[in-house]
Amino acid sequence: MLSKRFDPPPSKSFSKNHKASKSNASFSKSHGITKHRHESRRRLTTSMSQHMEDATLSPDSTLTPSIVTLIIGRDQRIFAAHEDVLSASPWFQQALADQYADPQSGKRIHLPDDEPEIFSSILEYLYKGDYYPRLVHNKRRNSWEIEQLDEERGPCETTIYHHAVDGDILKDTVIYCTAEKYGMEELKRVALRKQGLQSGIQCSTILASARYAYTHTPDTDSKLRAHYLALIIRSRNTFKRSGTMQLEMFNGGTQLFFDLFVALCNHVDDISSSASNTPRSNRHFF
């Protein structure tokens, strides 16, 4: 997979000053994002090229030489990937089947609403079966963990700035929603598991990510939405003191808070049912 910047006409691009001020205003230093954002883009270019070379040069490779050009995001970053690899996604398979390859430039797909960093992770998953940092199984504890960070690749940002919400949201949430869009069920499971291993996330980030999840998943989704409802309930002592939570509920505009109300009612019912089956001397009153 190759990645490089495409220089669009001035009328379609953001100025460098605008992008720099957006990064400084929106990224939390505690996540180490502002400091490493440009470094990670340079590493992305190298790592994407290596993924593609590894897949092409492998003796066991059965990939056809057909390469698809993908133009991603508002700043129109260019990626390239094998058509066979992209076709593992039903969405890409259909999009490519509907295209005729140009003899000069081949097949091209424009995805202006996607974030380049997220799409890089999508391609990494398609080529390698996971994205950095990877999930590893601890056999001794029989549990899943996030791998130790690679010094060469640098720190991993758990959140990204997303232009659609003009703020920080959890990277794994965006990957889950993107996988939903592209029909990649296994990637959804990987992203969901990784989210369950995150800790120390700010209330504002959790709420922004939950709102994004509700906007970009169907009403039938029972995984990611439930994850956020359970997370907020477990952290209710923090959220009930949160001014961000109060403001979000006041603004409304999402199914999230009704679902949260129903989930809290069910939680209280479970506690009441459990208490009714417990001897009076052992009951705990809150």
Side-chain angles (χ1 to χ4, degrees):
M1 291 165 283
L2 303 175
S3 169
K4 63 181 180 180
R5 183 177 299 281
F6 174 73
D7 295 325
S11 61
K12 295 183 179 180
S13 64
F14 286 92
S15 70
K16 292 183 179 179
N17 292 335
H18 172 79
K19 290 176 68 179
S21 63
K22 180 65 73 176
S23 298
N24 293 336
S26 302
F27 283 79
S28 168
K29 290 184 179 179
S30 63
H31 292 295
I33 295 174
T34 304
K35 182 178 179 181
H36 300 283
R37 189 176 186 187
H38 297 294
E39 287 85 343
S40 66
R41 285 189 173 183
R42 288 195 290 270
R43 288 194 300 270
L44 180 149
T45 301
T46 303
S47 62
M48 287 295 116
S49 301
Q50 188 62 50
H51 298 337
M52 198 166 183
E53 290 171 6
D54 290 346
T56 305
L57 298 177
S58 170
D60 300 325
S61 175
T62 58
L63 296 175
T64 64
S66 178
I67 302 299
V68 179
T69 301
L70 304 114
I71 303 174
I72 310 298
R74 291 185 170 188
D75 57 356
Q76 300 189 49
R77 286 179 64 83
I78 291 183
F79 291 80
H82 294 92
E83 183 172 350
D84 288 354
V85 172
L86 290 172
S87 294
S89 155
W91 190 94
F92 282 109
Q93 184 181 42
Q94 185 62 50
L96 293 169
D98 292 342
Q99 276 194 37
Y100 289 101
D102 186 290
Q104 299 296 325
S105 60
K107 294 184 178 181
R108 300 170 70 89
I109 295 179
H110 294 253
L111 299 169
D113 296 327
D114 284 11
E115 296 290 337
E117 183 179 349
I118 296 301
F119 196 77
S120 170
S121 295
I122 298 294
L123 287 183
E124 185 175 5
Y125 172 82
L126 284 170
Y127 275 90
K128 292 189 169 184
D130 202 348
Y131 61 91
Y132 180 76
R134 295 170 298 178
L135 280 172
V136 292
H137 187 252
N138 186 321
K139 294 182 179 179
R140 185 170 61 85
R141 297 181 178 179
N142 192 28
S143 62
W144 289 95
E145 301 172 354
I146 300 292
E147 70 174 342
Q148 295 285 329
L149 298 183
D150 187 339
E151 291 184 1
E152 292 185 2
R153 298 189 68 166
C156 178
E157 298 123 359
T158 57
T159 64
I160 68 161
Y161 173 82
H162 200 294
H163 71 271
V165 299
D166 193 22
D168 290 357
I169 53 180
L170 286 171
K171 177 180 176 180
D172 293 322
T173 294
V174 185
I175 290 176
Y176 180 102
C177 294
T178 306
E180 170 71 37
K181 171 184 174 181
Y182 295 139
M184 302 168 66
E185 293 299 320
E186 185 57 36
L187 177 55
K188 287 169 58 178
R189 285 189 281 271
V190 171
L192 186 66
R193 188 183 291 275
K194 288 185 179 183
Q195 286 177 95
L197 298 173
Q198 301 287 356
S199 62
I201 307 299
Q202 295 179 352
C203 289
S204 58
T205 302
I206 292 174
L207 289 173
S209 301
R211 182 183 285 274
Y212 181 91
Y214 265 76
T215 302
H216 294 87
T217 56
D219 291 339
T220 54
D221 179 84
S222 61
K223 302 295 184 181
L224 185 59
R225 294 186 178 195
H227 163 76
Y228 276 110
L229 295 175
L231 177 60
I232 293 172
I233 290 173
R234 286 198 306 270
S235 308
R236 57 191 177 276
N237 288 333
T238 300
F239 276 98
K240 71 182 181 182
R241 299 191 301 270
S242 169
T244 304
M245 182 68 164
Q246 183 178 3
L247 181 61
E248 285 281 340
M249 294 187 73
F250 178 80
N251 291 333
T254 174
Q255 180 74 15
L256 167 64
F257 296 109
F258 178 75
D259 287 354
L260 181 59
F261 169 73
V262 173
L264 282 169
C265 289
N266 292 337
H267 181 67
V268 171
D269 289 343
D270 290 342
I271 294 175
S272 300
S273 177
S274 176
S276 65
N277 295 324
T278 303
R280 183 177 297 274
S281 60
N282 293 333
R283 292 185 187 177
H284 298 277
F285 296 93
F286 299 93

Coordinates of all heavy atoms in Angstrom, one line a residue, residues 3-8 19 38 41 75-78:
S3 N 1.3 5.5 0.0 CA 0.6 6.7 0.4 C 1.4 7.9 0.1 O 2.6 7.9 0.4 CB 0.3 6.6 1.9 OG -0.1 7.8 2.4
K4 N 0.8 8.9 -0.5 CA 1.5 10.1 -0.7 C 0.5 11.2 -0.8 O -0.7 11.0 -0.9 CB 2.4 10.1 -2.0 CG 1.6 9.9 -3.3 CD 2.5 9.9 -4.5 CE 1.6 9.7 -5.7 NZ 2.5 9.6 -6.9
R5 N 1.0 12.5 -0.7 CA 0.0 13.6 -0.8 C -0.3 14.0 -2.2 O 0.6 14.0 -3.0 CB 0.6 14.8 0.0 CG -0.3 15.9 0.1 CD 0.3 17.1 0.9 NE 0.5 16.6 2.3 CZ -0.4 16.5 3.2 NH1 -1.7 16.8 2.9 NH2 -0.1 16.1 4.4
F6 N -1.5 14.2 -2.5 CA -2.0 14.7 -3.8 C -2.1 16.2 -3.6 O -2.8 16.7 -2.8 CB -3.3 14.1 -4.1 CG -3.9 14.6 -5.4 CD1 -3.3 14.3 -6.6 CD2 -5.0 15.4 -5.3 CE1 -3.9 14.8 -7.8 CE2 -5.6 15.9 -6.5 CZ -5.0 15.6 -7.7
D7 N -1.5 17.0 -4.5 CA -1.6 18.5 -4.4 C -2.8 18.9 -5.3 O -2.7 19.0 -6.5 CB -0.3 19.1 -5.0 CG 0.8 18.8 -4.0 OD1 0.6 18.7 -2.8 OD2 2.0 18.6 -4.5
P8 N -3.9 19.2 -4.7 CA -5.1 19.7 -5.4 C -5.0 21.1 -5.8 O -4.2 21.9 -5.3 CB -6.3 19.4 -4.4 CG -5.6 19.6 -3.1 CD -4.1 19.2 -3.2
K19 N -4.7 24.2 9.1 CA -4.5 22.9 9.7 C -3.7 22.9 11.0 O -4.0 22.2 11.9 CB -3.8 22.0 8.7 CG -4.7 21.7 7.5 CD -3.9 20.9 6.4 CE -3.6 19.5 7.0 NZ -2.9 18.7 6.0
H38 N 2.5 14.8 12.7 CA 3.2 14.8 11.4 C 4.2 13.7 11.2 O 4.4 13.1 10.2 CB 3.9 16.2 11.1 CG 2.9 17.3 11.1 ND1 2.0 17.4 10.1 CD2 2.7 18.4 11.9 CE1 1.3 18.5 10.3 NE2 1.7 19.1 11.4
R41 N 2.4 10.6 10.1 CA 2.1 10.6 8.7 C 3.3 10.2 7.9 O 3.2 9.4 6.9 CB 1.7 12.0 8.2 CG 0.3 12.4 8.7 CD -0.2 13.6 8.0 NE -1.6 13.9 8.3 CZ -2.3 14.9 7.9 NH1 -1.7 15.7 7.0 NH2 -3.6 15.0 8.2
D75 N -7.9 16.7 2.4 CA -6.6 17.1 1.8 C -6.2 16.1 0.7 O -5.0 16.3 0.2 CB -5.6 17.2 2.9 CG -5.3 16.0 3.7 OD1 -6.1 15.0 3.5 OD2 -4.4 15.9 4.5
Q76 N -7.0 15.2 0.3 CA -6.8 14.3 -0.8 C -5.5 13.6 -0.8 O -4.7 13.7 -1.7 CB -6.9 15.1 -2.1 CG -8.3 15.8 -2.3 CD -8.5 16.4 -3.6 OE1 -8.3 15.8 -4.6 NE2 -9.0 17.7 -3.6
R77 N -5.3 12.9 0.3 CA -4.1 12.0 0.4 C -4.3 10.8 -0.5 O -5.4 10.2 -0.6 CB -3.8 11.6 1.8 CG -3.2 12.7 2.6 CD -3.0 12.3 4.1 NE -2.0 11.2 4.1 CZ -0.7 11.4 4.1 NH1 -0.2 12.6 4.0 NH2 0.2 10.4 4.3
I78 N -3.3 10.4 -1.2 CA -3.4 9.3 -2.2 C -2.8 8.0 -1.6 O -1.7 7.9 -1.0 CB -2.6 9.6 -3.5 CG1 -3.3 10.7 -4.2 CG2 -2.5 8.4 -4.4 CD1 -2.7 11.1 -5.6

